[in-house]
Amino acid sequence: MGEDLEQLKQRIPLLTYLQRHHWSGRPAAVRSEFVGLCPLHEDTRPSFYVNPRKNLFYCHGCGQGGDLIRFVQLSQHLSFGQSLAYLQEELAPSARLLEHTATFYQMELHRYPEGIQYLAQRGVHDAALMEELGIGYARGGNMRLHLQQLGYSLERLLEVGLIRPQGQDAFCRRVIFPCRQQNRIVNLYGRSIGDAFPHRLLPRSKGGLFAWQSVCQFRNVILVEGLFDLAVLWQAGFRNTTCAIGTHLTPTQLAQLCQNPDRCVYIAFDQDENQAGQNAADSLLQVLDKAGLKIRLVGLPAGHDPNSYFLAGASAQDFVCDSRPCSGVYFNPSSAARQLAITRFDSE
């Protein structure tokens, strides 16, 4: 294992990795070292030193130091094992393959009307938003030939999960949302427009919170379950909405929310008849409360999620907040309190 780690670090030198991720350093007074602004904290004067010969870094500002794997742990908020997987991806990147796949699906969205028709049924009609989110459509049966013409082998497509072992496309008759992290696609989410199981992700990490690079600037963040919830809220002007693709937060997603200790998270989960969404929201409230964040639960009518609520005719002014306190001591808000309009959250 130790030998494998050393080989991994040799194949991706620390300085090369940093420069690939837009770190700019200049030769330091000490020969064979480079110095620049620290990418791990707000740095106003160069305090981050890299020794390419030893493959080590140290910041005199925040006191962090170590090797490539330690840097990835700190910068990406990953565990040791997750950092190894992240670096393996750097060596055998599938991001370019997923980028080609997502681009193909985006083109397919405009070739086959069923994709656009399904989006309209779900209340998503803004063409600019579809383009911004990279929404596509997988008809099924034609993606494999396209990617092989670009030079990808069948073995590679099977390895990434784009082709199933039986030979069919993994995504068939599904609207596709690309999941990005650090400006690269890490997974694809497909929502069935037919009778197949509705949700599908490739067998790999779903990455961080959806569209987090756009949302992290906001102090107040709306967290929803599904990507159609996110799409209709963005369309209504709530651009501070993000999604974990489900009700469970991964350690990476939790770390992202905790980056700003003053953040308030508005949980807008499904109001299911079986109480599943409410129970998940209550459990998540406890987790976020322990992490020191402010939390509020968004009150929706029974049986609705944000997507169905807007489909039923709600406007941005109807989107209401159940302002339960963060201490875990709940109260039943009056009907008047439940009519408190959120309008739109502004970054502060």
Side-chain angles (χ1 to χ4, degrees), residues 168-197:
Q168 311 101 318
D169 291 0
F171 297 111
C172 180
R173 299 196 69 223
R174 290 179 183 271
V175 168
I176 305 296
F177 289 79
C179 306
R180 292 185 178 274
Q181 187 171 336
Q182 301 295 321
N183 289 318
R184 62 180 184 177
I185 298 178
V186 296
N187 210 322
L188 298 172
Y189 169 83
R191 174 75 188 202
S192 173
I193 70 170
D195 298 329
F197 183 76

Side-chain angles (χ1 to χ4, degrees), residues 12-24 39 68 71-72 75-76 86-87 89-91 181-184:
I12 311 179
L14 175 60
L15 183 60
T16 300
Y17 174 88
L18 290 167
Q19 291 171 338
R20 187 184 299 167
H21 290 264
H22 312 295
W23 182 76
S24 178
L68 171 65
F71 180 82
V72 171
S75 62
Q76 302 297 326
Y86 180 92
L87 290 170
E89 181 71 12
E90 288 273 328
L91 289 173
Q181 187 171 336
Q182 301 295 321
N183 289 318
R184 62 180 184 177

Side-chain angles (χ1 to χ4, degrees), residues 90-104:
E90 288 273 328
L91 289 173
S94 57
R96 184 177 299 176
L97 168 55
L98 294 179
E99 201 72 61
H100 284 145
T101 306
T103 300
F104 176 70

Side-chain angles (χ1 to χ4, degrees), residues 222-254:
I222 305 172
L223 180 66
V224 296
E225 288 186 46
L227 289 174
F228 279 100
D229 297 326
L230 178 142
V232 295
L233 285 175
W234 275 41
Q235 194 171 253
F238 296 94
R239 300 299 296 251
N240 57 331
T241 303
T242 188
C243 174
I245 312 182
T247 59
H248 173 71
L249 287 182
T250 66
T252 298
Q253 293 169 339
L254 178 60

Side-chain angles (χ1 to χ4, degrees), residues 160-341:
V160 174
L162 290 167
I163 297 293
R164 306 181 77 177
Q166 298 83 2
Q168 311 101 318
D169 291 0
F171 297 111
C172 180
R173 299 196 69 223
R174 290 179 183 271
V175 168
I176 305 296
F177 289 79
C179 306
R180 292 185 178 274
Q181 187 171 336
Q182 301 295 321
N183 289 318
R184 62 180 184 177
I185 298 178
V186 296
N187 210 322
L188 298 172
Y189 169 83
R191 174 75 188 202
S192 173
I193 70 170
D195 298 329
F197 183 76
H199 313 288
R200 173 159 291 167
L201 282 161
L202 295 176
R204 54 196 294 112
S205 168
K206 61 184 177 182
L209 292 164
F210 192 85
W212 184 244
Q213 281 189 278
S214 297
V215 177
C216 66
Q217 63 180 305
F218 296 102
R219 192 179 77 175
N220 297 322
V221 169
I222 305 172
L223 180 66
V224 296
E225 288 186 46
L227 289 174
F228 279 100
D229 297 326
L230 178 142
V232 295
L233 285 175
W234 275 41
Q235 194 171 253
F238 296 94
R239 300 299 296 251
N240 57 331
T241 303
T242 188
C243 174
I245 312 182
T247 59
H248 173 71
L249 287 182
T250 66
T252 298
Q253 293 169 339
L254 178 60
Q256 287 174 324
L257 288 177
C258 293
Q259 285 169 357
N260 183 348
D262 295 326
R263 177 165 286 133
C264 184
V265 180
Y266 289 78
I267 304 174
F269 282 1
D270 302 1
Q271 299 294 305
D272 309 292
E273 291 184 6
N274 62 5
Q275 299 291 307
Q278 296 93 312
N279 292 339
D282 287 340
S283 297
L284 184 56
L285 185 150
Q286 302 295 332
V287 172
L288 296 178
D289 183 35
K290 288 180 180 178
L293 298 176
K294 304 177 186 69
I295 313 100
R296 297 291 184 267
L297 299 182
V298 175
L300 295 172
H304 280 288
D305 56 30
N307 183 209
S308 66
Y309 188 42
F310 277 86
L311 271 176
S315 66
Q317 286 69 35
D318 298 317
F319 196 50
V320 297
C321 176
D322 173 354
S323 54
R324 297 181 180 181
C326 301
S327 64
V329 181
Y330 301 140
F331 68 95
N332 293 319
S334 66
S335 58
R338 292 185 66 86
Q339 296 307 311
L340 175 64

Side-chain angles (χ1 to χ4, degrees), residues 111-127:
R111 291 173 179 162
Y112 300 98
E114 56 263 33
I116 293 289
Q117 290 169 358
Y118 180 77
L119 287 168
Q121 291 170 14
R122 299 298 301 268
V124 181
H125 50 73
D126 187 329

Side-chain angles (χ1 to χ4, degrees), residues 6-157:
E6 288 306 314
Q7 289 179 351
L8 177 64
K9 288 184 282 188
Q10 288 173 12
R11 292 179 65 188
I12 311 179
L14 175 60
L15 183 60
T16 300
Y17 174 88
L18 290 167
Q19 291 171 338
R20 187 184 299 167
H21 290 264
H22 312 295
W23 182 76
S24 178
R26 56 176 173 76
V30 178
R31 295 176 61 183
S32 78
E33 284 194 347
F34 289 79
V35 62
L37 296 176
C38 179
L40 300 175
H41 74 286
E42 292 292 334
D43 202 3
T44 56
R45 52 188 300 179
S47 59
F48 186 84
Y49 286 79
V50 177
N51 186 317
R53 184 175 60 82
K54 295 182 179 179
N55 228 9
L56 296 173
F57 74 93
Y58 183 77
C59 176
H60 292 277
C62 62
Q64 298 288 357
D67 60 10
L68 171 65
I69 298 171
R70 180 58 180 162
F71 180 82
V72 171
Q73 284 184 271
L74 293 169
S75 62
Q76 302 297 326
H77 307 287
L78 301 176
S79 67
F80 182 81
Q82 289 171 328
S83 298
L84 292 182
Y86 180 92
L87 290 170
Q88 293 287 355
E89 181 71 12
E90 288 273 328
L91 289 173
S94 57
R96 184 177 299 176
L97 168 55
L98 294 179
E99 201 72 61
H100 284 145
T101 306
T103 300
F104 176 70
Y105 287 147
Q106 281 183 275
M107 293 187 297
E108 295 286 276
L109 180 66
H110 302 287
R111 291 173 179 162
Y112 300 98
E114 56 263 33
I116 293 289
Q117 290 169 358
Y118 180 77
L119 287 168
Q121 291 170 14
R122 299 298 301 268
V124 181
H125 50 73
D126 187 329
L129 177 67
M130 297 178 202
E131 181 75 18
E132 182 179 4
L133 295 178
I135 299 175
Y137 176 62
R139 177 175 67 90
N142 56 348
M143 182 270 299
R144 174 177 167 182
L145 177 60
H146 172 78
L147 292 177
Q148 287 184 315
Q149 288 174 340
L150 293 178
Y152 294 104
S153 67
L154 175 60
E155 291 73 20
R156 185 71 177 129
L157 302 184

